[in-house]
Amino acid sequence: MADTTYTLTFSQQVPRGLQEVFAFFSRAENLEAITPSWLHFKTLAVTEPIRLGTRISYSLRLHGIPLHWTSEIVEWDPPHRFVDLQLRGPYKRWRHEHRFEARDGGTLIMDTVNLSLPFGVLGQLAYKIRVRSDVHEIFAFREKKIRALFG
């Protein structure tokens, strides 16, 4: 059976310059600041500065289940985009593209997440019942925090 891959997109405009916004997102420690506290998200290891090939390890709790997540930066094009790919974590596949575009005197932040879950039909059911709404909730929180940080 072929895996089902889901694509979720999020975007927001902030009144700050492209270089400043990209610099914020390219620092791994800032991810904790824009992640909901209910995930108990902690950065465990990262090599700074972020660049192609950088691996970042995290711990988190998803619905009370402790998880370890390792991502690698697989595409790096400052200040316009970068892509992190989950190497280890709760998803069968998680690819997160971050794009930044100077627009209307500020920066448009665009996120595209491609994900698939293990367990075939059970994973598809979990996506419909819980995973999709969880990811949307995480990005809604992120949007509010970014608005507070950047105006």
Side-chain angles (χ1 to χ4, degrees), residues 24-149:
F24 176 85
F25 280 90
S26 64
R27 298 213 35 97
E29 69 270 13
N30 290 334
L31 189 53
E32 286 183 41
I34 60 173
T35 300
S37 61
W38 57 265
L39 283 174
H40 304 280
F41 185 92
K42 298 288 179 217
T43 302
L44 301 176
V46 62
T47 52
E48 296 278 2
I50 302 294
R51 61 183 179 273
L52 185 66
T54 295
R55 289 188 178 191
I56 307 166
S57 295
Y58 316 96
S59 67
L60 63 139
R61 294 182 75 80
L62 188 58
H63 303 295
I65 301 168
L67 300 168
H68 288 277
W69 185 316
T70 302
S71 295
E72 181 176 349
I73 304 301
V74 296
E75 296 181 38
W76 183 251
D77 181 24
H80 302 288
R81 67 187 286 275
F82 66 94
V83 175
D84 61 85
L85 184 67
Q86 174 198 279
L87 301 178
R88 175 183 176 203
Y91 298 93
K92 186 167 188 178
R93 174 177 168 79
W94 175 278
R95 181 186 182 275
H96 183 183
E97 180 179 15
H98 309 254
R99 288 177 292 145
F100 308 90
E101 181 181 307
R103 185 182 287 182
D104 301 325
T107 301
L108 179 63
I109 303 166
M110 298 162 284
D111 294 280
T112 302
V113 174
N114 303 106
L115 69 93
S116 62
L117 296 162
F119 310 120
V121 173
L122 291 177
Q124 293 172 20
L125 185 60
Y127 178 82
K128 291 175 183 171
I129 292 172
R130 192 66 193 217
V131 173
R132 182 178 187 275
S133 62
D134 281 351
V135 175
H136 275 273
E137 188 176 342
I138 291 164
F139 276 88
F141 178 88
R142 178 177 287 193
E143 181 179 346
K144 289 177 189 165
K145 290 295 282 190
I146 290 168
R147 190 178 318 120
L149 290 165

